[in-house]
């Protein structure tokens, strides 16, 4: 059974390592400040007892006030999982740092979020639309797209 | 005399028999050797994630059929598991067994097509695939018996399955389970040590273990690279913890291993089916669930081991009758991440079989 690590516990560890990096946490997930996203992600991947080597999926949700991007992390060796979240505000040009340098599985998925939500990922090697064509107006999965 | 050469760009697809759907590979060739490849998606994008936001939770089930249409049962299964987790709905024992039976039959049916078309791509044109479609027909007959459909089943419901299987289902499944091992042996006799297949597939299109994990490959693609990771074991869902089965893995991560892993998985699925049929209890096939389901506010991620990999549904509920967000973790899209690394340096004919060995379904890649 994959053990879902407590967001609260991990948040506590992260606060010690990177002060003020965690915005909110619950038993199921933790929200990381966008400025610390890459550092926290790298720490989660490289710390032997966390060992999150497998980024299973990335999704985004439009909550109107902000966009929330979820990183579903898994460790194949230790068989545990964690949901890491990051929020970005503003509807004109929301952006987050890209995690492709850590997990290449983010490549197509970040492109998909860019395409359908309009969130740019800074540092992505090939950020362009993936399912819609270049020149398409708008981002269909946003709640204000009709 | 020196002949001047230069690389040139060839579009393979979008409509090409070997792209298994509408997929374009913008390939740069140096003579016959692939020097660069860029996958182009989106020809089959129907906006299923957006469409789902306007439907009830039950109304989304037919949409999931249309994701990976070669494994509709598995898609149904993953989706209803996620909704049940979100709404906290229990499933009757009999329904759990029926679901496992359907999911494993679907795995065999899907792998038959995967292996058959892979051999097609290798140049064994049409002969093996016809053998495999012959067996797949028997599975489709079983599905038709259970739900009246042969491709998009719409069979599973939140809290069970749409209807119980008829009386003649169990004997028909028993007969299939007796015959199928012989057929798999027949394929092996023809193909396993076939010199042409070995020459074409062994050592071709290697995906290393490290890269497979880094790109979050899943299913047979991940296991052929030597990672023993199967959601049915690693994160058991439904009643998979009750069955004995092995997880076949490869070690080289080449096209041949991916083909072998699929064939072995069919054998393991038969093992699970035998146990499930033996223990199939009597009782209800569906629990009482309101037609207009209002799950509590929250979010959930439910995933299963689908034939093509780790298929997950990420749902966000705002307490209304429709999902606020409906995301599909499409294993085939993510498995394609490393396609460029796998094909560069190989010839065009190898590119076709490397792509074929990943086994994709464009309807799921584009959604």
């Amino acid at each position: 059974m994959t053990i879902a690590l407590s967001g609260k516990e991990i948040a506590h560890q992260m606060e010690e390592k990177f002060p003020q990096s965690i915005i909110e946490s619950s038993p199921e997930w933790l929200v990381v400040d966008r400025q610390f996203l890459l550092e926290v992600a790298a720490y989660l991947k490289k710390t032997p007892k966390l060992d999150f080597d497998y980024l299973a999926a990335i999704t985004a949700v439009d909550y109107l006030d902000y966009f929330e991007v979820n990183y579903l992390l898994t460790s194949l060796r230790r068989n545990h999982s964690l949901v890491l979240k990051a929020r970005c505000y503003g509807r004109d040009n929301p952006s987050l740092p890209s995690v492709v340098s850590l997990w290449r599985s983010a490549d197509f998925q970040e492109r998909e979020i860019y395409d359908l939500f309009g969130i740019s990922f800074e540092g992505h090697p090939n950020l362009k639309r993936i399912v819609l064509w270049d020149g398409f107006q708008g981002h269909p999965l946003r709640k204000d797209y009709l | 005399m020196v002949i001047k050469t230069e690389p040139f760009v060839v579009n393979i697809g979008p409509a090409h028999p070997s792209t298994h759907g509408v997929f374009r590979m913008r390939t740069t060739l140096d003579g016959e050797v692939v020097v660069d490849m860029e996958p182009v998606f989106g020809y089959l994008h129907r906006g299923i994630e957006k469409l789902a936001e306007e439907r009830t939770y039950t109304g989304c089930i037919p949409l999931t059929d249309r994701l990976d249409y070669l494994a509709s049962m598995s898609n149904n299964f993953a989706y209803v598991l996620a909704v049940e987790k979100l709404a906290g709905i229990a499933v009757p024992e009999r329904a759990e067994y029926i679901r496992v039976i359907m999911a494993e039959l679907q795995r065999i049916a899907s792998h038959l097509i995967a292996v058959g078309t892979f051999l097609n791509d290798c140049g064994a044109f049409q002969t093996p695939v016809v053998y495999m479609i012959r067996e797949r027909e028997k599975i489709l007959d079983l599905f038709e018996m259970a739900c009246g459909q042969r491709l998009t089943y719409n069979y599973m419901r939140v809290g069970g399955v749409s209807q119980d299987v008829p009386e003649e289902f169990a004997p028909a499944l028993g007969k299939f389970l007796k015959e199928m091992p012989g057929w798999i042996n027949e394929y092996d006799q023809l193909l396993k040590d076939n010199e042409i297949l070995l020459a074409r597939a062994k050592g071709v299109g290697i995906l290393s273990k490290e890269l497979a994990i880094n790109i979050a490959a899943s299913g047979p693609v991940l296991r052929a690279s030597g990672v023993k990771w199967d959601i049915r074991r690693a994160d058991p869902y439904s009643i998979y913890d009750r069955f004995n089965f092995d997880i076949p893995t490869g070690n080289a991560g080449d096209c041949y291993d991916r083909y072998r892993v699929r064939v072995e998985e069919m054998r393991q699925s038969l093992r699970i089916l035998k146990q499930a049929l033996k223990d199939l209890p009597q009782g209800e096939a569906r629990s009482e669930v309101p037609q207009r389901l209002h799950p509590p506010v929250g979010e959930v991620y439910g995933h299963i081991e689908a034939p093509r990999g780790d298929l997950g549904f990420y749902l966000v509920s705002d307490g209304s009758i429709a999902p606020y967000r409906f995301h599909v973790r499409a294993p085939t899209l993510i498995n394609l991440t490393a396609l460029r690394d796998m094909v560069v340096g190989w010839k065009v004919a190898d590119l076709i079989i490397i792509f074929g060995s990943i086994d994709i379904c464009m309807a799921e890649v584009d959604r």
Side-chain angles (χ1 to χ4, degrees):
Chain A
M1 198 77 192
T2 306
I3 298 156
L5 294 187
S6 160
K8 280 224 180 299
E9 243 165 67
I10 302 291
H12 192 69
Q13 285 181 36
M14 291 303 133
E15 282 289 352
E16 274 174 19
K17 191 87 194 155
F18 310 102
Q20 270 134 37
S21 61
I22 305 299
I23 296 172
E24 210 184 320
S25 65
S26 89
E28 286 91 37
W29 41 258
L30 70 157
V31 183
V32 64
D33 190 299
R34 65 183 297 280
Q35 288 170 350
F36 291 92
L37 176 63
L38 265 185
E39 285 168 74
V40 168
Y43 183 79
L44 289 172
K45 186 186 173 187
K46 284 163 190 164
T47 308
K49 70 180 200 304
L50 295 168
D51 198 18
F52 286 104
D53 49 358
Y54 192 86
L55 175 60
I58 308 178
T59 70
V61 188
D62 180 3
Y63 285 111
L64 292 169
D65 296 336
Y66 55 87
F67 293 102
E68 195 167 78
V69 178
N70 303 310
Y71 300 83
L72 309 179
L73 297 165
T74 309
S75 167
L76 297 194
R77 242 162 296 173
R78 295 181 179 268
N79 200 359
H80 57 215
S81 66
L82 180 72
V83 181
L84 186 70
K85 294 176 180 236
R87 289 175 185 160
C88 49
Y89 293 83
R91 301 192 79 76
D92 295 332
N93 194 18
S95 73
L96 281 176
S98 166
V99 295
V100 175
S101 54
L102 293 167
W103 298 282
R104 276 189 50 199
S105 61
D107 187 348
F108 291 165
Q109 299 185 76
E110 286 185 343
R111 276 177 67 188
E112 192 182 323
I113 293 170
Y114 168 71
D115 190 351
L116 302 174
F117 284 92
I119 300 171
S120 343
F121 289 90
E122 296 151 18
H124 190 287
N126 183 25
L127 194 67
K128 56 183 188 183
R129 286 192 181 267
I130 186 166
V131 287
L132 299 168
W133 56 96
D134 298 329
F136 184 89
Q137 292 294 313
H139 304 286
L141 278 181
R142 285 189 177 188
K143 288 286 173 187
D144 53 8
Y145 181 93
L146 295 172
Chain B
M1 196 182 88
V2 180
I3 301 169
K4 190 171 161 274
T5 61
E6 58 182 33
F8 63 105
V9 174
V10 177
N11 271 310
I12 301 177
H16 185 279
S18 70
T19 57
H20 303 256
V22 272
F23 176 65
R24 180 153 71 103
M25 288 180 271
R26 196 175 172 280
T27 320
T28 311
L29 301 178
D30 178 9
E32 226 185 308
V33 179
V34 179
V35 292
D36 195 12
M37 196 284 301
E38 188 197 0
V40 183
F41 307 96
Y43 296 95
L44 212 56
H45 179 62
R46 293 146 295 165
I48 281 184
E49 292 183 4
K50 185 77 177 175
L51 290 172
E53 289 175 6
E54 311 236 323
R55 276 164 176 72
T56 60
Y57 282 90
T58 310
C60 289
I61 299 172
L63 286 180
T64 65
D65 282 329
R66 282 143 184 90
L67 291 167
D68 178 355
Y69 50 79
L70 290 171
S72 303
M73 283 287 185
S74 309
N75 299 345
N76 285 181
F77 195 11
Y79 173 69
V80 296
L81 276 178
V83 179
E84 281 156 9
K85 207 164 148 189
L86 185 65
I89 291 168
V91 182
E93 193 80 342
R94 184 172 171 83
E96 294 272 30
Y97 276 88
I98 295 175
R99 283 178 177 188
V100 167
I101 288 173
M102 294 303 168
E104 292 307 316
L105 281 173
Q106 184 72 82
R107 189 183 315 280
I108 299 174
S110 171
H111 281 351
L112 284 170
I113 290 290
V115 171
T117 50
F118 166 68
L119 294 161
N120 234 358
D121 292 339
C122 286
F125 197 57
Q126 297 300 2
T127 312
V129 78
V130 168
Y131 275 68
M132 285 157 196
I133 284 176
R134 177 186 70 186
E135 273 70 89
R136 181 170 174 266
E137 277 301 300
K138 320 248 176 202
I139 299 174
L140 296 193
D141 287 345
L142 288 170
F143 286 156
E144 193 179 359
M145 203 183 275
C147 63
Q149 297 289 330
R150 294 175 67 85
L151 192 70
T152 49
Y153 310 109
N154 188 18
Y155 182 55
M156 306 218 181
R157 290 288 183 279
V158 179
V161 293
S162 70
Q163 56 202 319
D164 202 345
V165 290
E167 262 174 41
E168 61 269 28
F169 182 85
L173 177 59
K175 184 165 170 275
F176 172 79
L177 292 180
K178 274 207 192 75
E179 294 169 352
M180 190 64 196
W183 289 327
I184 298 180
N185 291 340
E186 189 184 352
Y187 313 146
D188 269 1
Q189 212 177 353
L190 291 168
L191 299 162
K192 191 179 172 192
D193 302 314
N194 183 307
E195 214 173 309
I196 303 172
L197 180 66
L198 289 174
R200 284 304 306 278
K202 251 210 144 107
V204 174
I206 292 171
L207 176 65
S208 71
K209 192 174 170 175
E210 291 70 34
L211 186 58
I213 294 174
N214 198 251
I215 65 144
S218 52
V221 177
L222 179 66
R223 289 191 284 276
S225 295
V227 184
K228 207 168 184 170
W229 182 260
D230 186 315
I231 311 295
R232 291 175 292 176
R233 256 301 144 66
D235 191 10
Y237 51 91
S238 187
I239 49 165
Y240 273 103
D241 46 358
R242 299 183 194 172
F243 303 115
N244 289 318
F245 63 97
D246 299 325
I247 304 170
T249 53
N251 31 36
D254 55 9
C255 293
Y256 186 75
D257 275 3
R258 287 190 277 279
Y259 150 72
R260 286 311 304 165
V261 164
R262 290 198 178 97
V263 174
E264 290 306 321
E265 273 185 16
M266 286 196 252
R267 291 209 170 95
Q268 298 305 324
S269 289
L270 288 173
R271 267 179 78 186
I272 299 175
L273 281 167
K274 267 192 198 119
Q275 297 166 50
L277 183 63
K278 196 171 116 266
D279 301 342
L280 181 66
Q282 291 300 324
E284 289 294 310
R286 193 174 172 186
S287 57
E288 288 291 325
V289 174
Q291 192 91 66
R292 303 193 126 213
L293 196 64
H294 293 259
V297 178
E299 57 193 83
V300 75
Y301 179 68
H303 61 165
I304 69 160
E305 185 67 35
R308 285 171 181 74
D310 178 358
L311 172 70
F313 283 84
Y314 176 81
L315 304 173
V316 178
S317 164
D318 58 353
S320 70
I321 55 165
Y324 185 78
R325 172 86 172 102
F326 174 102
H327 173 79
V328 189
R329 186 226 187 257
T332 47
L333 171 73
I334 297 166
N335 285 352
L336 282 179
T337 310
L339 182 62
R340 186 184 172 277
D341 304 66
M342 287 155 81
V343 300
V344 166
W346 295 97
K347 291 186 175 167
V348 178
D350 298 320
L351 176 146
I352 302 292
I353 69 163
I354 294 167
F355 178 68
S357 74
I358 297 176
D359 179 27
I360 62 151
C361 183
M362 284 319 288
E364 185 182 75
V365 174
D366 290 342
R367 276 159 287 145

